[in-house]
Amino acid sequence: MEYRIERDSMGEMQVPADRYWAAQTQRSLQNFEIGDEVMPREITHAFGILKKAAAIANFNLGKLNEQKCKAIEQACDEVTDGKLNDHFPLVVWQTGSGTQSNMNANEVIANRGNEIVGEKLLHPNDDVNMSQSSNDTFPTAMHIAAVLNIEDKLMPEMDRMIDTFKRLEKENEGIVKSGRTHLQDATPIAFSQEISGWRNMLEKTKKMLEAALPGLRELALGGTAVGTGLNAPKGFAEEIAKQVGNLTGKEFVTAANKFHALTSKDDLVFAHGALKALAANMMKIANDVRWLASGPRCGLGEIFIPENEPGSSIMPGKVNPTQCESMTMIAVQVMANDVAVGMAASQGNFELNVFMPVCIYNFLQSVRLLGDGLRSFNDHCASGIEADREKMKHNLHNSLMLVTALNPYIGYDNAAKTVKKAHKENISLKEACVALELLTAEKFDEVFHPEEMV
């Protein structure tokens, strides 16, 4: 491999000749050979946005000349487009402020910009990092990445799943089945009502995410090192929030209190709470689906789900609810990530939080997994759910909890006696009720209508 020599305040470093990063990135690469969790590409993308916005803001405020601004903009566009991903090699397990990833962005943008213009025009600190500090750029990148990925990657998949459940509700109107509580038979429920519960879980958690977005739209940029805004020109914070909004097409504002923005990650904790709520709801939905589809002969078997692949290497013909299993594993991971996000956010010391990389790594993994998982679950499972009407009817009329409809006529205690007799002697509720002389056969038929109990 060929190398070139790059220099920083600590001296010379050998850097691969075909890479745009420089000395500080190389030092981090060599000092933190830990794991294989590379800084999320969503953060790389966000740095491309914020560095371009900073260049435009500095130009508009008279701090950066047009030639430098244009060179930075062109390089940033390549970062945002993912063309330079191979030049961002640093792992999550680095400095807790994300300083080295900020410098990675500065160095790559400077060297690529210099290559574009054909001269050594840009300096990573003086030009690309102008009016900024790692302490305000990294939390800004965190918020930009969080908003973009929640709005553009997760919410559309939530909407698709909501639409699927709306369709299933309409398709299954009029089907009445046995309800279940405590995994035991309960009073009847319309299948469309059961599906509506699933739908509303997604609608509710989407509203929770929407409630969390305003905090994530607040940007720390302009606070520089400790929140005082040292070395940033007047109006820079407001201007850069405006430019980030222009570049993303989304609303962003400058954080009102930069001391809070640098050291507290409570907005991410709050937003991840909504992600955890979504994960909890998807755990419930996926479990409902696989229980209802269990069988094909020895389970509940009330619904059919798509058969996507063989389920066993030894049992021919076995098909498993694999999409449900994938979704529930995702839910477990998101719930575990919530612990990491909360713990990381609790580690703000004085003017800075130094657990930011691990915080955003887990946050973005949750968004990514939920978005991908919802798409997969919807396309390969939920959209193909079909009711087994005969099995639902059989289970409904075989349920002893239908006796609840008789409470107004024979009372709770007599209804309990009827259930116990029917269960012990394996006879119908009608036979038990008549045998106990609680109702005549005619009266039983008059008042007992399971399909009307929903």
Side-chain angles (χ1 to χ4, degrees):
M1 181 181 290
E2 295 184 5
Y3 293 90
R4 70 178 189 277
I5 299 298
E6 289 278 358
R7 296 170 180 81
D8 62 11
S9 61
M10 297 185 72
E12 295 184 345
M13 289 293 292
Q14 277 192 330
V15 177
D18 62 345
R19 299 301 174 191
Y20 292 125
W21 70 72
Q24 291 198 46
T25 302
Q26 189 65 32
R27 290 186 192 281
S28 179
L29 198 57
Q30 294 175 194
N31 290 336
F32 296 96
E33 296 182 278
I34 303 171
D36 56 7
E37 293 85 4
V38 176
M39 188 64 67
R41 289 303 169 218
E42 297 93 335
I43 291 295
T44 303
H45 175 261
F47 265 114
I49 293 170
L50 79 87
K51 293 296 179 181
K52 181 175 180 177
I56 296 171
N58 281 316
F59 170 72
N60 290 344
L61 294 169
K63 288 201 65 179
L64 190 70
N65 69 46
E66 185 175 7
Q67 185 185 16
K68 288 184 176 182
C69 180
K70 294 300 182 185
I72 292 173
E73 285 188 67
Q74 285 184 260
C76 285
D77 286 341
E78 294 186 9
V79 172
T80 304
D81 291 342
K83 295 178 180 178
L84 304 181
N85 282 351
D86 290 344
H87 301 270
F88 289 83
L90 300 187
V91 295
V92 171
W93 320 109
Q94 53 166 280
T95 171
S97 61
T99 298
Q100 290 145 13
S101 282
N102 179 50
M103 280 309 304
N104 186 185
N106 292 332
E107 291 174 344
V108 168
I109 292 166
N111 282 332
R112 176 57 183 143
N114 290 337
E115 185 178 70
I116 290 170
V117 299
E119 62 174 297
K120 201 167 183 61
L121 176 70
L122 301 173
H123 187 281
N125 296 79
D126 296 338
D127 299 314
V128 184
N129 201 58
M130 180 183 285
S131 309
Q132 306 153 62
S133 161
S134 299
N135 296 352
D136 66 351
T137 60
F138 199 86
T140 294
M142 292 168 75
H143 276 211
I144 292 172
V147 170
L148 293 182
N149 285 275
I150 287 173
E151 287 197 334
D152 296 344
K153 301 291 180 63
L154 178 56
M155 284 184 170
E157 299 303 334
M158 295 177 74
D159 288 337
R160 290 182 67 231
M161 184 78 81
I162 289 168
D163 288 341
T164 292
F165 288 144
K166 286 179 178 178
R167 172 178 61 80
L168 289 172
E169 283 178 71
K170 291 181 179 179
E171 291 177 357
N172 291 282
E173 285 180 357
I175 301 176
V176 179
K177 61 185 288 291
S178 178
R180 294 179 179 88
T181 58
H182 305 272
L183 295 181
Q184 304 295 308
D185 302 343
T187 55
I189 184 172
F191 187 34
S192 59
Q193 291 174 327
E194 192 166 43
I195 296 169
S196 76
W198 301 342
R199 167 182 52 78
N200 198 230
M201 288 178 188
L202 288 164
E203 292 170 336
K204 293 274 285 186
T205 47
K206 185 182 178 185
K207 288 180 180 178
M208 293 175 193
L209 281 170
E210 289 170 344
L213 284 172
L216 297 177
R217 297 187 193 282
E218 297 181 11
L219 303 183
L221 264 173
T224 64
V226 295
T228 60
L230 180 67
N231 290 346
K234 184 178 180 181
F236 178 75
E238 293 76 14
E239 180 66 17
I240 199 164
K242 174 185 173 183
Q243 296 305 326
V244 171
N246 290 341
L247 294 174
T248 61
K250 300 184 185 299
E251 180 187 357
F252 285 97
V253 298
T254 190
N257 189 309
K258 301 298 189 295
F259 307 105
H260 167 271
L262 266 61
T263 195
S264 175
K265 303 297 139 219
D266 51 8
D267 291 316
L268 287 159
V269 174
F270 183 62
H272 201 278
L275 296 175
K276 181 172 70 171
L278 175 58
N281 281 337
M282 288 311 302
M283 175 73 84
K284 183 260 194 284
I285 292 169
N287 276 333
D288 281 358
V289 170
R290 63 174 166 180
W291 275 106
L292 290 172
S294 61
R297 292 189 173 179
C298 299
L300 296 179
E302 291 191 345
I303 64 172
F304 301 107
I305 58 175
E307 297 183 348
N308 297 318
E309 63 273 314
S312 173
S313 62
I314 190 174
M315 293 175 281
K318 195 173 193 298
V319 180
N320 296 329
T322 51
Q323 289 294 322
C324 297
E325 292 163 7
S326 175
M327 192 72 248
T328 53
M329 286 193 290
I330 288 169
V332 167
Q333 185 63 58
V334 172
M335 292 175 193
N337 287 351
D338 193 68
V339 176
V341 170
M343 287 292 293
S346 73
Q347 299 304 305
N349 303 124
F350 304 112
E351 278 64 63
L352 187 67
N353 179 286
V354 290
F355 282 65
M356 289 192 286
V358 69
C359 180
I360 196 60
Y361 173 78
N362 282 276
F363 186 98
L364 291 173
Q365 186 190 56
S366 292
V367 177
R368 193 183 315 119
L369 288 176
L370 285 168
D372 291 348
L374 281 166
R375 183 184 66 251
S376 182
F377 186 77
N378 183 67
D379 291 349
H380 302 298
C381 183
S383 61
I385 289 175
E386 295 180 12
D388 186 335
R389 295 176 180 238
E390 289 303 314
K391 190 62 179 287
M392 286 184 176
K393 183 177 180 181
H394 169 78
N395 288 344
L396 172 66
H397 287 272
N398 201 40
S399 171
L400 296 175
M401 288 305 100
L402 297 178
V403 78
T404 307
L406 302 180
N407 284 358
Y409 304 98
I410 62 175
Y412 182 94
D413 291 338
N414 283 331
K417 291 177 184 178
T418 301
V419 167
K420 291 178 180 179
K421 183 177 180 64
H423 183 56
K424 182 178 180 180
E425 299 179 16
N426 195 26
I427 59 177
S428 69
L429 288 173
K430 180 178 180 179
E431 291 170 323
C433 192
V434 172
L436 290 170
E437 298 182 347
L438 298 172
L439 289 175
T440 65
E442 293 75 20
K443 185 63 175 177
F444 185 95
D445 290 338
E446 179 186 332
V447 301
F448 188 76
H449 300 287
E451 285 75 11
E452 297 177 5
M453 293 174 67
V454 298

